[in-house]
């Protein structure tokens, strides 16, 4: 039987870097028993593939070619979902500074975003999907059942990142992280295509003073309310 995917419920969780979308989305997907799409990992995988194939970030046609035959898969791993390229786990390379910088460049290209739309939409499978990103509720799944825009103050997000990186023994300063986050926020918010903005019908949640459990509970109550409504 061919499933009519537009009937499958989607929870779109958008917001800036460091607001806790990844952890919240993974927990919400687990609680609901739904699939999970980490769309940032899709852009990161394109960046990694481009670096490996020596495709220049200005070469839109080359990047679109990569997107069209991206050998990407997600499989359950020890730390949640593991990303595979060419059947090989990519591990921590996906989150390296080099890949982050390349991902933010490729994500700004309209042709790349367009080429990745169908791949992202293919994750909409029964019984439901939790989609984590920047434009899930505005562009990729505008008909999502529930939309959440998760944000937190720049100070709090820089602080979380600082603790995380210090915990890994990395040599970072708070002021540098703060400045980088502010610059990245501005670039994401002001880019012409799919900027990071809340959908008009999104529930905005400020996680600055909330713990993970509290945010997850709020998201689940939005989902429950919207599901009753459909
Ligand atoms: O969420 P993240 O840091 O893994 O995202 C990696 C990059 O991809 C980042 O520069 C933002 C961009 N991105 C995007 O433009 N649209 C999405 N839906 C998800 C991520």
């Amino acid at each position: 039987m061919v499933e009519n995917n537009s009937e499958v419920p989607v929870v779109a969780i958008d917001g800036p870097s460091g607001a806790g979308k990844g952890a919240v989305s993974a927990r919400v997907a687990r609680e609901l028993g739904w699939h999970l799409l980490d769309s940032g990992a899709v852009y990161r995988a394109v960046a990694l593939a481009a670096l490996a194939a020596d495709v220049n970030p200005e070469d839109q046609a080359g990047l679109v070619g990569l997107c069209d035959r991206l050998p990407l898969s997600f499989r359950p791993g020890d730390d949640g979902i593991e990303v595979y390229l060419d059947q090989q786990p990519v591990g921590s390379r996906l989150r390296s500074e080099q890949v982050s910088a390349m991902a933010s460049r490729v994500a700004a290209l309209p042709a790349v975003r367009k080429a990745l739309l169908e791949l992202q939409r293919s994750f909409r499978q029964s019984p439901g999907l939790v989609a984590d990103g920047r434009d899930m509720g505005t562009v990729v799944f505008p008909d999502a059942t529930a939309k959440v825009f998760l944000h937190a103050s720049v100070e709090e997000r820089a602080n979380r990142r600082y603790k995380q990186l210090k915990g890994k023994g990395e040599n970072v300063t708070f002021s540098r992280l703060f400045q980088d986050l502010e610059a990245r926020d501005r670039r994401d918010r002001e880019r012409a295509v799919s900027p990071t903005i809340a959908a008009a019908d999104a529930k905005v949640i400020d996680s600055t003073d909330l713990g993970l459990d509290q945010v997850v509970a709020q998201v689940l109550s939005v989902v429950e309310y919207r599901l009753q409504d459909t």
Side-chain angles (χ1 to χ4, degrees):
M1 187 185 91
V2 178
E3 187 174 45
N4 178 2
N5 284 358
S6 65
E7 307 264 296
V8 174
V10 176
V11 184
I13 303 185
D14 291 306
S17 315
K21 293 184 310 279
V24 170
S25 302
R27 271 276 300 278
V28 170
R30 205 169 63 227
E31 300 270 342
L32 294 168
W34 289 6
H35 300 280
L36 176 66
L37 166 63
D38 173 356
S39 60
V42 175
Y43 287 97
R44 287 173 182 274
V46 173
L48 196 56
L51 289 165
D54 228 356
V55 176
N56 192 296
E58 261 87 64
D59 176 5
Q60 291 218 36
L63 289 168
V64 167
L66 274 184
C67 294
D68 287 344
R69 51 189 154 74
L70 194 66
L72 173 70
S73 56
F74 291 93
R75 303 180 200 171
D78 294 339
D79 284 331
I81 287 178
E82 176 73 80
V83 178
Y84 284 69
L85 260 183
D86 273 328
Q87 312 294 333
Q88 299 298 320
V90 298
S92 58
R93 276 183 301 152
L94 203 66
R95 313 258 153 220
S96 70
E97 276 309 305
Q98 192 193 17
V99 169
S100 302
M102 184 72 160
S104 117
R105 295 183 71 176
V106 302
L109 302 173
V112 167
R113 302 197 73 89
K114 188 160 171 255
L116 294 173
L117 266 180
E118 284 319 307
L119 170 68
Q120 295 175 86
R121 288 181 178 150
S122 71
F123 282 78
R124 190 173 195 166
Q125 300 286 338
S126 268
L129 175 68
V130 178
D132 156 2
R134 307 289 194 286
D135 59 345
M136 299 295 100
T138 50
V139 176
V140 183
F141 302 109
D143 62 337
T145 323
K147 300 181 187 178
V148 168
F149 191 82
L150 190 61
H151 73 108
S153 68
V154 187
E155 286 84 356
E156 176 60 19
R157 289 186 286 126
N159 199 25
R160 289 176 191 169
R161 185 89 183 122
Y162 180 76
K163 285 189 190 147
Q164 196 182 32
L165 292 175
K166 276 284 175 190
K168 286 192 204 161
E170 290 194 28
N171 186 17
V172 286
T173 64
F174 177 81
S175 61
R176 182 62 204 268
L177 286 174
F178 184 94
Q179 282 168 15
D180 285 355
L181 257 185
E182 260 194 326
R184 204 143 26 109
D185 278 3
R186 198 170 323 113
R187 217 172 30 233
D188 278 354
R189 220 178 26 241
E190 292 174 1
R191 73 177 171 216
V193 51
S194 300
T196 309
I197 46 165
D201 49 351
K203 159 89 176 164
V204 178
I205 300 178
D206 182 344
S207 76
T208 307
D209 299 315
L210 300 177
L212 179 61
D213 288 348
Q214 291 166 299
V215 180
V216 169
Q218 286 199 21
V219 175
L220 288 172
S221 78
V222 176
V223 176
E224 202 177 314
Y225 179 76
R226 301 279 176 167
L227 281 174
Q228 276 170 5
D229 229 27
T230 54

